[in-house]
């Protein structure tokens, strides 16, 4: 094992010079904002219960994939006496289905949120933020026949009846414009 030779006078003087001229050490990075927020929000969540954002994140697990496509939680209205109401915005006929599933939804929300979960459900019928299911989500839709393939009075499919009605409407509009 070889020993390191003792530093020479010149190396020692250079080291002393560098140490005396060295700047301040780099500043420590700031503390994590996420930890600070968590320290504040955790007691508040215990006191007031979960928020709408947490419900929105887990909405598919709470109501199921089918209903999650057509609805979403909007707000939680806190009332006196510890009563709170979960307001859900549902698109179209999904509101009636959600109304029928109220008990199950409230049980699932309580399982997710704990003791401070909403005890009532209010369903608003209207446009939810999520887009309507696209063509991939719907069953096989047959393409509509062209107007030349539809004979008036003999239509048997809904698409043919629709095209026939549209053709009649187009003819009446053209006759009005011509008069």
């Amino acid at each position: 094992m070889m020993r390191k030779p003792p530093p020479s006078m010149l190396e020692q003087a250079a080291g002393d010079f560098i140490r005396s001229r060295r700047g301040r050490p780099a500043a420590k990075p700031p503390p994590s904002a996420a930890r600070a927020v968590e320290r504040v929000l955790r007691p508040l969540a215990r006191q007031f219960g979960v928020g709408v954002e947490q419900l929105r994140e887990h909405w598919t697990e709470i109501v199921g994939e089918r209903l999650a496509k057509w609805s979403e939680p909007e707000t939680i209205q806190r009332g006196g006496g510890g009563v709170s109401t979960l307001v859900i915005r549902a698109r179209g006929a999904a509101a009636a289905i959600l109304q029928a599933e109220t008990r199950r939804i409230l049980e699932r929300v309580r399982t997710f949120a704990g003791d401070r979960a909403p005890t009532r459900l209010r369903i608003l019928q209207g446009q939810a933020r999520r887009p309507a299911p696209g063509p991939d989500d719907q069953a096989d839709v047959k393409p509509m026949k062209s107007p030349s393939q539809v004979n008036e009075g003999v239509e048997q499919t809904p698409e043919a009846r629709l095209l026939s009605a549209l053709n009649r409407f187009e003819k009446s509009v053209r006759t009005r414009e011509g008069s």
Side-chain angles (χ1 to χ4, degrees), residues 14-179:
D16 290 341
F17 178 80
I18 289 173
R19 272 191 292 279
S20 69
R21 304 280 186 207
R22 186 170 289 161
R24 291 189 308 211
K28 292 180 182 177
S32 170
R35 285 185 188 160
V37 168
E38 185 179 341
R39 275 189 236 129
V40 172
L41 290 182
R42 185 169 287 176
L44 291 174
R46 275 191 224 114
Q47 183 179 356
F48 296 108
V50 299
V52 175
E53 289 304 318
Q54 287 106 356
L55 288 176
R56 200 172 279 142
E57 288 174 17
H58 300 280
W59 193 240
T60 304
E61 300 158 16
I62 293 171
V63 296
E65 192 172 320
R66 187 185 76 174
L67 289 177
K69 289 179 186 176
W70 296 96
S71 65
E72 71 177 350
E74 194 168 276
T75 62
I76 296 178
Q77 297 172 341
R78 309 257 182 223
V83 177
S84 60
T85 304
L86 174 62
V87 179
I88 299 173
R89 175 133 342 241
R91 185 180 303 126
I97 297 170
L98 285 168
Q99 190 70 38
E101 295 284 328
T102 298
R103 176 178 277 157
R104 185 182 68 87
I105 291 171
L106 286 174
E107 287 175 8
R108 305 279 313 260
V109 169
R110 184 173 176 89
T111 302
F112 174 75
D115 294 336
R116 293 293 197 154
T119 54
R120 294 181 182 168
L121 198 62
R122 183 171 155 216
I123 301 166
L124 303 176
Q125 193 169 6
Q127 188 68 21
R129 276 195 233 169
R130 295 180 186 191
D136 299 338
D137 298 335
Q138 296 176 353
D140 293 323
V141 177
K142 297 175 185 173
M144 294 179 67
K145 296 179 181 178
S146 68
S148 62
Q149 296 172 326
V150 177
N151 298 325
E152 278 194 49
V154 197
E155 304 90 4
Q156 294 180 355
T157 65
E159 293 90 5
R161 287 193 296 269
L162 175 65
L163 278 173
S164 176
L166 288 174
N167 285 338
R168 287 192 307 264
F169 178 71
E170 181 183 18
K171 286 176 188 175
S172 69
V173 169
R174 285 191 178 157
T175 56
R176 281 188 207 157
E177 289 175 354
S179 322

